[in-house]
Amino acid sequence: YFGFEVRLMCVKLYANGALAQVKLNDLNGAAKSCNTGLHLVKRNLSLLGEGGGNVDVDVGNVAIHQRALVEQWRVRILLRRASARLASKVYEAALEDLAAVLEAEPRNMDAAELKRKVEEAMKMSKLRANAAAAADEGEAGFADALSPKENAFWRDVLEKARKPVT
């Protein structure tokens, strides 16, 4: 096997490649890079003593430090994959990644902010779908049954639902 530094460098390469792919809007490529990076993280952790491997007593502190480094990169990769999934409108999967990040690092502000964006995008997506369904059903007489204040409220909701989420 390669040394720890080489294995960690491979994880970093896939993680940073995923970041570049997200920036270039290559969302499928970013997801693949993240998946590969996460596979390498799992492999590194198993070689460091998790999942049934053994760690020599003499290098126990080094292995603990190395595990912490690998875990930091796991969190970064999950954040990057969540970003790609948000951009791809795969909201449930993005929330799963963010839940894993927040489980590992409950005070991670980037994950909390991204989770808020995903939840907002989900809400707007549902509003768009409901507005489109209502328009398809041809509820022209429905607006007449509402007060002017209710009409204004729902007009604003529909306008927000038509705007793209950024």
Side-chain angles (χ1 to χ4, degrees):
Y1 294 111
F2 292 108
F4 172 77
E5 293 80 13
V6 173
R7 293 192 315 268
L8 184 62
M9 184 60 67
C10 291
V11 169
K12 291 178 182 181
L13 288 171
Y14 279 101
N16 291 332
L19 179 63
Q21 289 166 316
V22 168
K23 298 282 185 191
L24 294 171
N25 208 30
D26 177 11
L27 304 175
N28 288 333
K32 287 179 185 177
S33 293
C34 288
N35 292 339
T36 303
L38 289 170
H39 173 75
L40 292 172
V41 162
K42 184 177 178 182
R43 180 75 177 135
N44 277 338
L45 289 174
S46 71
L47 291 172
L48 289 171
E50 290 194 9
N54 293 318
V55 177
D56 292 338
V57 174
D58 297 334
V59 294
N61 289 335
V62 172
I64 291 169
H65 174 71
Q66 290 174 342
R67 257 191 232 106
L69 287 173
V70 173
E71 181 62 22
Q72 288 172 359
W73 280 97
R74 183 182 80 86
V75 165
R76 289 181 187 181
I77 292 169
L78 287 168
L79 278 170
R80 291 170 188 180
R81 188 168 71 177
S83 294
R85 288 175 165 177
L86 169 60
S88 299
K89 299 179 181 170
V90 185
Y91 304 125
E92 293 295 331
L95 286 176
E96 289 173 13
D97 286 344
L98 293 169
V101 169
L102 290 169
E103 182 180 327
E105 296 181 3
R107 295 183 180 175
N108 189 310
M109 297 305 291
D110 292 331
E113 176 63 18
L114 190 56
K115 182 179 179 187
R116 186 197 61 75
K117 287 181 181 180
V118 171
E119 289 170 343
E120 180 67 22
M122 285 178 75
K123 184 169 41 169
M124 294 307 293
S125 177
K126 288 177 184 175
L127 281 174
R128 278 193 198 96
N130 291 342
D136 289 344
E137 291 175 12
E139 297 179 357
F142 180 71
D144 297 335
L146 299 176
S147 71
K149 189 175 182 179
E150 290 171 322
N151 266 329
F153 171 79
W154 287 109
R155 199 173 308 111
D156 289 344
V157 168
L158 288 173
E159 285 301 314
K160 287 180 183 177
R162 289 184 180 122
K163 290 181 184 176
V165 177
T166 56

